[in-house]
Amino acid sequence: MKVAIVGASGAVGQEFLRVLEERKFPLTELLLFGSSRSAGNSYPFKGKQLRVKELKHGDDFKDVAIAFTSAGASISKEFAADITRFGTVMIDNSSAFRMDEDVPLVVPEANARDAKQRPRGIIANPNCTTIQMVVALQAIEQLSHIKRVHVSTYQAASGAGAAAMDELEQQHREIIAGQTPTVSKFAYQLAFNLIPHIDVFTDNGYTKEEMKMFHETRKIMHSDIEVSATCVRVPALRAHSESIWVETEQPISVEEAKAAFAKAPGIELIDEPAEKKYPMPLFLSGKDPVHVGRIRKDLSNPNGLAFWCVSDQIRKGAALNAVQIAEYLIREKNI
Ligand SMILES: NC(=O)c1ccc[n+]([C@@H]2O[C@H](COP(=O)([O-])OP(=O)(O)OC[C@H]3O[C@@H](n4cnc5c(N)ncnc54)[C@H](OP(=O)(O)O)[C@@H]3O)[C@@H](O)[C@H]2O)c1
């Protein structure tokens, strides 16, 4: 099975290389694509160096079974027809097609089967903040229907790409050297700061990132769930954190919630506050699971439950989720 990565040099593209190798993904050949900037660069995969080819219109995807695309929404839109023309399944990490009715939006722990209905040959990977939240919500939904969610996110610099992570490191070096920090990837200096602004503002006062959490969660969970989000960029390098409050139809005890999280697929429960054990992004970068902790009853609502959730957004929030979709399709002989 020939597989391609589009955007191989990027934060998500590099993670695809690691995840595919670690999970022994059953591929016979891996093709890497990028812009003219990274064309010719080589990246290691299974002991060999693979060269990046410039992405161009044409028939490069003719024998490719799966293309993992992570080069931004405009590139996904521009090249989708070239990629899917000969039957390649395009699993896309950008926001280009997520809310299109004829494109499934998939978190395998919640709605793997949706991936089989793909009239355009495209499957969308949800936004990273949505993926980790949905994995956690799915465990609670098994106990009682979730009516609404309030969530505040604490999103790492790398969520804005490899260059943004570099900029945060550079800002720290510059500040310590007494220099004015370089600011180009974010609206303000991120080092020693928090920025309550991710993606562009919409007419209702929420940002697009916040509205993605509203719309995408409903589509993935096939639910009338309402999500009100505040998305904040924080000076962590990698792994997003979320403070999540849910209101369910029936009250759920902390013990019931813990048991549900502990047995749910894709979740690791870290909840021993007396031992100072709770999820933190510094220690959970590069890990596969969605980590949940600090589970407690909401003091203002008998049907409310609050918890803390941390996951590596380049891994489960992007590359790993996409590879898990592909693995599901292979298991189901649907590719
Ligand atoms: N970072 C995350 O945590 C995260 C999580 C979920 C989803 N995503 C989504 O994944 C996508 C990539 O994000 P990222 O963080 O990996 O960004 P990134 O680090 O900035 O990488 C962007 C990639 O896109 C490639 N690219 C840009 N223009 C191209 C063109 N004309 N033709 C071919 N390739 C081109 C770049 O290649 P060159 O080096 O050649 O320019 C690079 O490999 C975005 O849609 C993002 O929203 C990111």
Side-chain angles (χ1 to χ4, degrees), residues 6-14 33-39 41 43 52-56 69-76 78-79 92-96 98 125-129 131 156-164 185 212 233 240 312-315 317-319:
V6 177
S9 68
V12 176
Q14 290 292 297
F33 292 93
S35 76
S36 56
R37 290 178 291 274
S38 61
N41 288 359
Y43 296 104
V52 177
K53 191 171 177 190
E54 186 175 349
L55 182 66
K56 289 191 173 152
T69 50
S70 62
S74 59
I75 300 300
S76 289
E78 184 182 339
F79 288 93
D92 184 43
N93 271 278
S94 81
S95 59
R98 287 180 189 150
N125 221 35
N127 189 40
C128 47
T129 48
I131 292 177
S158 54
K185 283 282 164 188
K212 284 176 204 165
R233 187 74 67 192
H240 289 349
D312 185 321
Q313 92 289 345
I314 307 179
R315 216 166 166 88

